[in-house]
Amino acid sequence: MFRRIGHAVVRHPIWTIVAWLIAAVAIVATAPSLPSNSDESSFLPKSYESIKAADLQERAFPSAFTPSAIALYQRTDGAALTAADKRDVSRITAELGEKHIDQVQKVVPGQPSKDGRYALTLVQMDSKNAGQPKQTEAAKTLRKEVKSLVAKGTHLDVRLGGSAAQAADQEDSSKRGQALIGIGTFVIILVTLLIIFRAPLLAVLPLVLIGLVSAVANGLIAYATKLFDLQANSSISSILIVVLFGVGTDYFLFLMFRYRERLRAGDEPKQAMVNAVDRVGEAIASAAGAVIIAFLALALSTLGFLKQMGPALAIAVAATLIAGLTLIPAVVSLIGPKVFWPSKSWQQEPRNARFAALGRGVQRRPALTAVASGLVLIVLSLGTLGFNATFDLASGSMPKTKESMVVQDRMQKAYSAGAAAPTDVYLSSTDGKPLDKAGFDAYAKKLGAVDGVASARLSQVNKEGTTADITVTLKYEASTDRAIDAVERVRDVAHANAPEGTEALVGGMSSIFKDIDSAVNHDYRTVFPVAAILIMVILGLLLRSVVAPWYLIASVGLGFGATLGATVWLFQVAQGHSGLMFMLPVIMYLFVVAIGTDYNILMIARLREEAREGRDPREAAGMALRHAGPTVAAAGFILAATFATMMLAGNSLLTEMGFAVSFGIAVAAFVMAMFFTPSLTALIGHAAWWPGHGDRAATQAPGTGTAADGSAAAPGDDGRGTVAHDPAGRRG
């Protein structure tokens, strides 16, 4: 199959390139715009309590709201507010409401702080558009207008915070981060390829081709998002850049290393590309298949942003795979060996002294290599025992100096930390009859006595008398671990003490974060095993074995554990962070488990190829490391360095993500693929390929040009199954 693809593309390179260009123009020109959503509550399905509570609030108390934006006032000299200052705040609040800013539904005064130094204006926005770009723009307008009003003859200073303002500040931070990530990615790929090949054209080529694939992938993602009514989270765009260019460069390298090898073995240039696609096409397709399946497994997630991220990244990898088997071979075959100009090193095989030595080490001492590399992974994995998740997405995705973060910090000090996002307990009648108001005070008192609660009071009862809203103010900021623990205790008390004939639902941001935590834990138990099983199926089909997939997926699992453990030790232990971003293990799973499998597949496929040429298991492992090692090292370095650019973004979320994924890719390439996997395969020997005989030398059926098992004759390009020898004396 892959040989036929190679033949078709190499025979018609111009038509292949033209087809890609036409498809790119058509898709980009007609694709819908990609929507975006940063509202945490939209992550969850409606079955969760926090979402049920939000729906009940809209029905029972349509005029009640959790402020989307909060204007925080204080005197410029830091003193307590005077009577004149308070009148100015009231006037500004009224004038702000009269401006009828888009998305703004209500502007009301808030409570002053107990020390008299701060006052508030609370702004309600359309809850249906929470997290949408239009509310981000509304927050920017609101910030500009309130500052303009304060500047007119007052002694006040004002800053705008709240979820909408945080989204606006996040957007500014993410634009800077995306620019740095994009520039860093380009520079790393360009410089590394220049060092490897010493050929300017070859260094620029993948950037141009993957840029074209990126445009196609983004258009297809937009189509899929609209077709399946998905919501794009703002973090996807940064990850998509890295995935496309990281994975695309991997596949480019897999193909170019094998193309160069075939040229050195004496193949005519066009035939060299056909043979390269034939030899490495199955490994690329299998690697991409494992990544796509792992990403699609996220469709089983209960979290909205993962449901969107999984299919989006799967589409990107699928487009990259097709380009790797068609567009890249077409362009390179059209250029020919001139693609390596001005370097002449492609004409003869280097000694690969380092990788040859590593290969000999694995060949001679596979047990020692397996134990040593396995111990490294196990020791690093011990750090996972200290993992703690944090849900403060706002402070995690932008610097503390951003205006909305300054507001959050000052409100925590001036008010109860939970005042900016209070928890609401909704007590509603199950039979439609009015509630007995006599028990409200006692119920609120029990809620107020919960550990971690600063106060609890009856706020309002709906006009039918069937639903009561008890506002519970926590002692802690809504996204902290202590607030999430406290809201769990509030739920227990609220449910246990709800009067007969009533139902209690607990809402608010802390409740949402609690449910997100439960959803993430559900996903760990569902998505991870399903993805692992499907990846094992891919490996089994590639290797025609039921043994090898087990230790390959086990090694990938160890790599995941080692990566999470190292990240915990660096950020939680060494730097004193309270926890890591809650979605980090899922992101690590996406890249360390899925993409890290690429290198295992490439190495094991090469090991099988060497074994089929008649080498015993240990020699095959040594030769596989010698010849596939440079490819894995180059691809692993570029991908790890590419993800490391995320650490330039300047916020803890992308810093943690950048370190974790780059470290995980490095472990996958330089520990698992180079040492752990080949040494284990060498130790297990022929049994690794049971029940098939994937490592047995193929025998040719007389006069057919094919092996007796029906597969294409492997080495030669003359159709007779002869074994070509390169100048270094190794088999082609």
Side-chain angles (χ1 to χ4, degrees):
M1 172 178 148
F2 295 102
R3 193 170 191 83
R4 287 197 297 271
I5 292 173
H7 266 301
V9 169
V10 170
R11 285 182 62 190
H12 307 289
I14 293 177
W15 284 113
T16 303
I17 295 167
V18 168
W20 264 94
L21 291 174
I22 292 173
V25 171
I27 291 170
V28 171
T30 60
S33 60
L34 191 65
S36 180
N37 194 348
S38 58
D39 177 26
E40 286 86 355
S41 65
S42 68
F43 292 175
L44 293 166
K46 295 185 179 297
S47 58
Y48 281 88
E49 181 172 351
S50 58
I51 307 304
K52 290 180 179 179
D55 291 342
L56 177 60
Q57 176 191 322
E58 287 186 14
R59 295 194 308 271
F61 307 105
S63 62
F65 67 95
T66 298
S68 299
I70 301 171
L72 180 69
Y73 306 89
Q74 68 178 122
R75 282 185 60 86
T76 53
D77 59 9
L81 298 173
T82 64
D85 295 329
K86 293 176 182 177
R87 286 194 295 273
D88 284 336
V89 170
S90 297
R91 174 182 57 80
I92 291 167
T93 300
E95 291 182 8
L96 204 58
E98 291 169 0
K99 289 184 177 292
H100 302 294
I101 297 169
D102 180 47
Q103 296 296 304
V104 173
Q105 296 178 327
K106 187 183 296 184
V107 182
V108 298
Q111 294 291 323
S113 62
K114 292 180 180 179
D115 61 10
R117 294 175 56 212
Y118 295 95
L120 301 173
T121 293
L122 307 179
V123 180
Q124 178 186 11
M125 294 187 184
D126 187 352
S127 61
K128 294 178 181 177
N129 294 322
Q132 299 288 348
K134 60 180 70 176
Q135 286 204 359
T136 301
E137 291 304 315
K140 292 177 181 178
T141 303
L142 194 62
R143 181 174 280 164
K144 180 180 177 181
E145 293 292 347
V146 74
K147 288 180 184 291
S148 175
L149 291 171
V150 164
K152 295 177 181 178
T154 74
H155 298 286
L156 297 171
D157 180 41
V158 65
R159 286 178 171 83
L160 192 74
S163 59
Q166 287 177 352
D169 289 342
Q170 272 181 297
E171 184 181 82
D172 291 339
S173 291
S174 66
K175 284 180 180 177
R176 173 180 174 274
Q178 284 180 35
L180 288 171
I181 290 168
I183 293 168
T185 298
F186 273 65
V187 169
I188 286 167
I189 292 174
L190 190 65
V191 171
T192 307
L193 290 178
L194 276 171
I195 293 172
I196 292 171
F197 294 106
R198 300 179 183 86
L201 181 58
L202 200 57
V204 173
L205 195 58
L207 297 176
V208 174
L209 297 180
I210 299 167
L212 176 63
V213 175
S214 175
V216 172
N218 274 291
L220 293 175
I221 290 167
Y223 273 120
T225 300
K226 183 177 181 180
L227 182 63
F228 297 106
D229 195 26
L230 300 171
Q231 286 291 337
N233 183 259
S234 55
S235 62
I236 289 178
S237 54
S238 296
I239 297 172
L240 197 60
I241 293 171
V242 181
V243 168
L244 281 164
F245 282 92
V247 174
T249 305
D250 267 8
Y251 298 162
F252 180 83
L253 284 171
F254 290 178
L255 190 66
M256 291 311 301
F257 269 92
R258 187 53 72 98
Y259 176 58
R260 186 175 66 177
E261 183 180 316
R262 296 309 309 164
L263 288 173
R264 287 170 175 168
D267 288 359
E268 181 271 329
K270 289 189 178 295
Q271 189 62 44
M273 181 54 74
V274 174
N275 287 341
V277 174
D278 179 36
R279 293 293 189 87
V280 84
E282 187 179 24
I284 290 176
S286 299
V291 176
I292 290 168
I293 281 177
F295 286 168
L296 287 178
L298 289 176
L300 300 174
S301 171
T302 51
L303 295 176
F305 82 101
L306 289 180
K307 281 180 176 290
Q308 161 64 14
M309 185 183 290
L313 296 179
I315 290 169
V317 174
T320 308
L321 166 64
I322 296 170
L325 296 177
T326 58
L327 180 62
I328 293 173
V331 172
V332 174
S333 67
L334 199 61
I335 299 170
K338 292 179 182 178
V339 76
F340 296 105
W341 181 88
S343 173
K344 295 182 179 180
S345 62
W346 64 271
Q347 295 175 352
Q348 57 184 1
E349 183 183 13
R351 294 185 179 276
N352 279 345
R354 293 188 185 89
F355 291 98
L358 291 174
R360 287 193 298 271
V362 170
Q363 181 177 340
R364 292 169 184 168
R365 299 180 182 86
L368 178 63
T369 305
V371 170
S373 54
L375 279 175
V376 169
L377 298 175
I378 290 170
V379 169
L380 288 173
S381 297
L382 295 176
T384 59
L385 299 175
F387 171 72
N388 184 54
T390 181
F391 293 83
D392 191 358
L393 293 176
S395 63
S397 57
M398 59 184 144
K400 296 286 187 183
T401 53
K402 283 291 186 181
E403 185 172 332
S404 59
M405 299 311 300
V406 172
V407 171
Q408 178 176 295
D409 182 60
R410 291 186 179 178
M411 285 192 67
Q412 288 181 27
K413 294 174 182 176
Y415 297 80
S416 171
T423 295
D424 289 284
V425 177
Y426 298 103
L427 193 65
S428 56
S429 170
T430 56
D431 56 10
K433 296 179 180 178
L435 297 169
D436 180 6
K437 298 180 180 179
F440 286 168
D441 289 341
Y443 188 68
K445 189 173 182 179
K446 289 179 180 177
L447 293 172
V450 174
D451 182 27
V453 172
S455 65
R457 60 182 178 82
L458 175 66
S459 297
Q460 56 188 327
V461 179
N462 68 340
K463 60 183 180 181
E464 293 84 6
T466 55
T467 302
D469 176 9
I470 294 95
T471 299
V472 177
T473 304
L474 303 179
K475 295 178 181 178
Y476 318 111
E477 195 276 321
S479 64
T480 61
D481 294 339
R482 289 189 293 182
I484 293 169
D485 291 340
V487 87
E488 184 176 13
R489 293 190 291 269
V490 168
R491 281 184 175 181
D492 291 340
V493 171
H495 297 161
N497 292 279
E500 188 175 349
T502 66
E503 178 187 31
L505 293 174
V506 180
M509 288 309 301
S510 295
S511 185
I512 288 172
F513 290 134
K514 174 61 186 173
D515 286 341
I516 289 177
D517 187 34
S518 300
V520 169
N521 289 330
H522 167 272
D523 290 351
Y524 291 162
R525 296 189 300 269
T526 306
V527 176
F528 284 18
V530 168
I533 291 169
L534 293 176
I535 290 174
M536 285 179 67
V537 170
I538 290 280
L539 291 171
L541 293 173
L542 168 67
L543 303 173
R544 281 78 167 176
S545 166
V546 296
V547 175
W550 285 98
Y551 66 82
L552 289 176
I553 204 71
S555 71
V556 172
L558 273 177
F560 174 86
T563 303
L564 181 57
T567 308
V568 167
W569 273 334
L570 176 62
F571 291 99
Q572 287 187 212
V573 178
Q575 296 189 13
H577 291 194
S578 62
L580 303 176
M581 285 298 159
F582 73 92
M583 78 271 282
L584 190 62
V586 178
I587 299 297
M588 284 169 46
Y589 146 80
L590 286 174
F591 300 111
V592 178
V593 174
I595 297 177
T597 306
D598 283 8
Y599 306 125
N600 263 344
I601 288 175
L602 186 70
M603 185 62 73
I604 201 75
R606 186 57 185 251
L607 193 153
R608 180 185 61 179
E609 186 178 323
E610 297 292 343
R612 282 177 169 175
E613 293 185 3
R615 296 183 174 94
D616 65 54
R618 293 193 178 196
E619 185 187 3
M623 292 301 291
L625 183 51
R626 175 188 172 185
H627 295 291
T631 311
V632 170
F637 173 79
I638 288 177
L639 192 58
T642 299
F643 276 105
T645 61
M646 298 173 77
M647 299 174 70
L648 301 173
N651 66 67
S652 58
L653 172 60
L654 289 180
T655 298
E656 290 174 6
M657 193 184 300
F659 170 80
V661 177
S662 60
F663 184 87
I665 293 296
V667 167
F670 296 100
V671 180
M672 293 189 321
M674 283 201 189
F675 298 107
F676 195 62
T677 296
S679 60
L680 273 180
T681 307
L683 281 173
I684 296 170
H686 295 297
W689 309 97
W690 184 88
H693 302 287
D695 64 332
R696 301 298 169 87
T699 56
Q700 185 182 337
T704 63
T706 61
D709 63 0
S711 61
D717 57 4
D718 59 1
R720 297 192 306 271
T722 56
V723 178
H725 292 269
D726 66 15
R730 73 170 293 275
R731 301 181 183 185

